[in-house]
């Protein structure tokens, strides 16, 4: 194309766009001036105002400056590469780190003439920057997804990413009575506490224990259900650490004689915050403080991620979709009951349902669900909350735990009168749950006509796929553990833990082991006739319900966990 006298005034990318017929000279001149006033790159302005096709601009820029062109749809970007560049620079300059190779960083950019962006990234990362042209429209979409990925990744931060003295931390609703400035601003203690909490979040721990003794002060975290020591600070720091944690959770730091409860919210980024449920308990040598880590993302895992087999999942879904009845989840503390219940609530949480929960306390906030923290001190008990719910036309009710006869009776009446009720109970397996309700004083016929499904569960550590190894176990030993002869003859493979840099002693994460028992008419008759848990268990076995041990052995057969782990969490 011949260059006219007026076009010769243009240079660089604007001239190329006019030469290639992508935009007119008048339009590009107007856009250049407007972009300059708006302090916005020309390419972004042209795309935002829909003055030119983003793909055509990218091709033209690539040809003009000899910079490689990349389709963002053809590449997956890992979190570690994203973390190489400060999030503020990604948004400010509309750039995206694509691949890091040694000291070179390939940077996605829609306008290669934006030298300020390249210089800023180079200064922040101390890396050599190789620009790569990408489409501006796709670029902004991928930047948004990248920021979301960094926010939601459990391992997406290092200590250097945070100012350990100035983390965004808020507490509960109590006043800071008696708190001194020194307690709040003791910098070494503040940094130590914040680092412990960040490390616990990063590793995926479920709780953190601060424990003072006569001659030592130790900090332990529970990872995949197992406690391990992570620090042993000087004993002299115990009271200061305790005071700091109580300040963070809005407790009375002057009160050391009785247990206290509090809450901490730590904001890690714009889109992600972690809650801690805090409890103090006076011991011989000071107050032990335990923080339970509550990650809201655990409620969004989905039922497929929990570990139910297909038949168990279908049973749970079947009873969740019933308009009335009672679903009970049982197991010891820390067995995942809350996540199972919240997963069910998440499925039920639609705009046409009125859902209310009474909890002690509400661990995970779910928008769309009316959550109540019970407070016995002011008369707000599980029973009184249930009575209030029933006056508000609920469709679904969740009771954090059935602890007494009054709560049990109200919940059962609600299940009998057209409401779906979900709750938890502390029993060892599903059959014992029915007899436990009888022991509490609930009438047998009421149990038989209201309880529709019982889920007993445990959590076993998931064996690491990277380092697990096949174990050679004699046939006699396998039979003694409970495997069928058919399982063994079909080529049963049992894996054991080894340990590598990406796991914890051969394990990484946890998987649920479930006994899902539908209360049949026959079981109801056994209850009404005064039958015991053994009779119910026999009937459940006749109906094909797997007990916890058998469900655990199936997880071993599937290669999800080890035999040692199943022996730890279930009874032979």
């Amino acid at each position: 194309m011949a260059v006219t006298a007026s076009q010769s005034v243009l240079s660089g990318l604007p001239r190329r766009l006019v030469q290639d017929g992508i935009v007119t000279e008048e339009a590009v001149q107007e856009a250049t001036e407007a972009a300059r006033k708006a302090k916005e790159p020309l390419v972004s302005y042209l795309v935002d105002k829909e003055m030119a096709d983003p793909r055509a601009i990218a091709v033209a820029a690539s040809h003009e400056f000899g910079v490689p062109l990349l389709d963002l749809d053809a590449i997956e970007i890992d979190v570690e590469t994203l973390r190489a560049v400060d999030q503020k620079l990604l948004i400010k300059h509309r750039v995206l780190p694509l691949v890091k190779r040694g000291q070179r960083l390939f940077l996605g950019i829609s306008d290669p003439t934006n030298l300020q962006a390249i210089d800023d990234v180079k200064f922040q990362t101390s890396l050599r920057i190789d620009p790569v042209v990408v489409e501006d429209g796709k670029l902004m979409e991928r930047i948004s997804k990248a920021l979301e990925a960094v926010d939601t990744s459990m391992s997406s931060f290092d200590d250097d990413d945070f100012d350990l003295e100035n983390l965004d931390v808020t507490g509960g609703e109590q006043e800071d009575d008696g708190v001194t400035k020194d307690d709040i601003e003791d910098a070494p203690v503040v940094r130590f506490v914040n680092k412990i909490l960040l490390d616990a979040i990063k590793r995926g721990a479920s709780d953190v224990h601060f424990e003072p003794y006569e001659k030592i002060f130790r900090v332990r975290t529970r990872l995949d259900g197992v406690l391990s020591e992570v620090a042993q600070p000087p004993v002299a720091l115990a009271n200061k650490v305790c005071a700091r944690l109580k300040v963070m959770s809005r407790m009375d730091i002057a009160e050391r004689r009785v247990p206290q409860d509090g809450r901490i919210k730590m904001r890690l980024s714009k889109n992600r915050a972690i809650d801690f449920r805090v409890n103090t308990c006076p011991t011989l040598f000071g107050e032990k403080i335990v923080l339970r880590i509550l990650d809201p993302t655990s409620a969004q895992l989905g039922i497929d991620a929990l570990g139910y087999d297909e038949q168990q999942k279908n049973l749970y879904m079947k009873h969740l979709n019933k308009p009335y009845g009672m679903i009970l989840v049982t197991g010891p503390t820390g067995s995942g009951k809350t996540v199972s219940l919240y997963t069910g609530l998440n499925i039920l949480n639609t705009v046409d349902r009125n859902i209310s929960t009474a909890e002690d306390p509400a661990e995970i906030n779910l928008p769309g669900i009316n959550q109540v923290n019970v407070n016995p001190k002011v008369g707000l008990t599980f029973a009184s909350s249930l009575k209030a719910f029933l006056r508000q036309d609920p469709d679904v009710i969740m009771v954090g735990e059935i602890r007494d006869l009054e709560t049990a009776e109200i919940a059962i009446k609600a299940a009998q009168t057209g409401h779906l009720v979900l709750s938890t109970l502390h029993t060892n397996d599903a059959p014992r749950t029915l007899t436990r309700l009888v022991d509490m004083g609930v009438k047998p016929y009421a149990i038989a006509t209201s309880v529709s499904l019982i889920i007993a569960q445990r959590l076993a550590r998931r064996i690491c796929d990277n380092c697990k190894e096949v174990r050679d176990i004699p046939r006699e030993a396998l039979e003694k553990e409970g495997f069928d002869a058919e399982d063994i003859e079909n080529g049963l493979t049992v894996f054991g833990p080894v340990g590598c840099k990406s796991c914890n002693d051969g394990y990484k994460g946890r998987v649920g082991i479930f006994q899902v028992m539908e209360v049949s008419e026959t079981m109801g008759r056994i209850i009404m006739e005064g039958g015991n848990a053994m009779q119910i268990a026999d009937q459940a076995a006749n109906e094909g319900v797997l007990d916890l041990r058998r469900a655990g052995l199936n997880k071993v057969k599937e290669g999800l966990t080890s035999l040692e782990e199943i022996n730890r969490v279930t009874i032979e």
Side-chain angles (χ1 to χ4, degrees), residues 83-267:
R83 291 174 55 217
V85 179
D86 188 279
Q87 294 184 21
K88 294 176 183 176
L89 290 181
L90 301 188
I91 299 168
K92 177 182 176 182
H93 292 308
R94 295 169 80 132
V95 295
L96 184 66
L98 304 173
V99 178
K100 182 175 177 289
R101 291 179 183 166
Q103 293 302 305
R104 298 174 66 189
L105 179 67
F106 293 88
L107 189 71
I109 189 167
S110 59
D111 185 356
T113 63
N114 190 354
L115 300 180
Q116 183 65 50
I118 296 171
D119 288 343
D120 285 355
V121 174
K122 182 178 181 180
F123 179 78
Q124 185 253 313
T125 61
S126 299
L127 298 172
R128 174 185 163 187
I129 306 301
D130 289 340
V132 177
V133 175
V134 295
E135 291 180 41
D136 192 81
K138 290 182 179 179
L139 178 61
M140 288 311 298
E141 182 182 339
R142 289 298 292 269
I143 288 174
S144 298
K145 289 181 179 178
L147 295 176
E148 186 177 335
V150 171
D151 282 344
T152 56
S153 171
M154 274 306 230
S155 58
S156 64
F157 55 82
D158 289 323
D159 299 335
D160 294 341
D161 293 338
F162 295 93
D163 180 352
L164 291 177
E165 291 183 35
N166 297 295
L167 277 176
D168 186 356
V169 175
T170 54
E173 299 174 353
Q174 298 180 18
E175 296 297 324
D176 298 346
D177 297 336
V179 175
T180 67
K181 187 175 181 181
D182 288 343
D183 291 321
I184 299 173
E185 297 180 356
D186 189 352
V189 172
V190 170
R191 284 198 303 271
F192 172 74
V193 170
N194 288 345
K195 187 178 189 314
I196 290 290
L197 300 189
L198 285 171
D199 285 347
I201 296 168
K202 180 179 178 181
R203 298 179 66 203
S206 59
D207 42 81
V208 186
H209 297 241
F210 294 84
E211 302 169 314
Y213 298 97
E214 184 177 12
K215 295 182 179 179
I216 64 168
F217 175 43
R218 72 177 180 185
V219 181
R220 294 190 292 172
T221 59
R222 189 182 299 277
L223 185 62
D224 296 336
V226 178
L227 278 169
S228 60
E229 186 173 301
V230 294
Q232 199 172 112
V235 179
L237 281 182
N239 287 337
K240 289 186 176 182
V241 169
C242 176
R244 172 61 187 166
L245 288 166
K246 290 169 79 172
V247 166
M248 292 168 71
S249 49
R250 301 293 190 263
M251 295 181 190
D252 180 359
I253 69 167
E255 179 56 77
R256 301 182 179 90
R257 300 164 299 173
V258 296
Q260 295 186 66
D261 291 299
R263 202 176 183 101
I264 297 170
K265 180 183 286 292
M266 180 178 284
R267 186 158 294 283

Side-chain angles (χ1 to χ4, degrees), residues 22-23 27 40 42-54 57 136:
I22 296 170
V23 66
E40 184 180 353
L42 173 62
V43 172
S44 302
Y45 186 88
L46 290 171
V47 172
D48 291 344
K49 299 298 182 181
E50 298 182 352
M51 297 174 67
D53 177 57
I57 295 175
D136 192 81

Side-chain angles (χ1 to χ4, degrees), residues 294-359:
L294 310 173
D295 190 350
T297 58
S298 61
Q300 275 83 45
L301 286 175
I303 194 167
D304 292 319
L306 299 184
Y308 289 94
D309 67 31
E310 197 62 28
Q311 182 186 10
Q312 292 172 337
K313 183 183 81 170
N314 291 339
L315 264 180
Y316 191 16
M317 292 299 296
K318 169 187 169 184
H319 287 273
L320 282 175
N321 288 318
K322 284 189 172 183
Y324 58 86
M326 179 181 283
I327 298 173
L328 293 174
V329 182
T330 77
T333 301
S335 61
K337 300 188 298 295
T338 300
V339 172
S340 281
L341 282 180
Y342 273 102
T343 300
L345 288 176
N346 222 21
I347 293 169
L348 295 169
N349 188 12
T350 56
V351 71
D352 58 330
R353 286 192 178 97
N354 178 15
I355 304 176
S356 297
T357 74
E359 304 168 70

Side-chain angles (χ1 to χ4, degrees), residues 366-385:
L366 284 181
I369 293 178
N370 309 292
Q371 297 172 273
V372 172
N373 275 331
V374 300
N375 186 355
K377 292 179 182 177
V378 298
L380 184 61
T381 61
F382 282 119
S384 62
S385 299

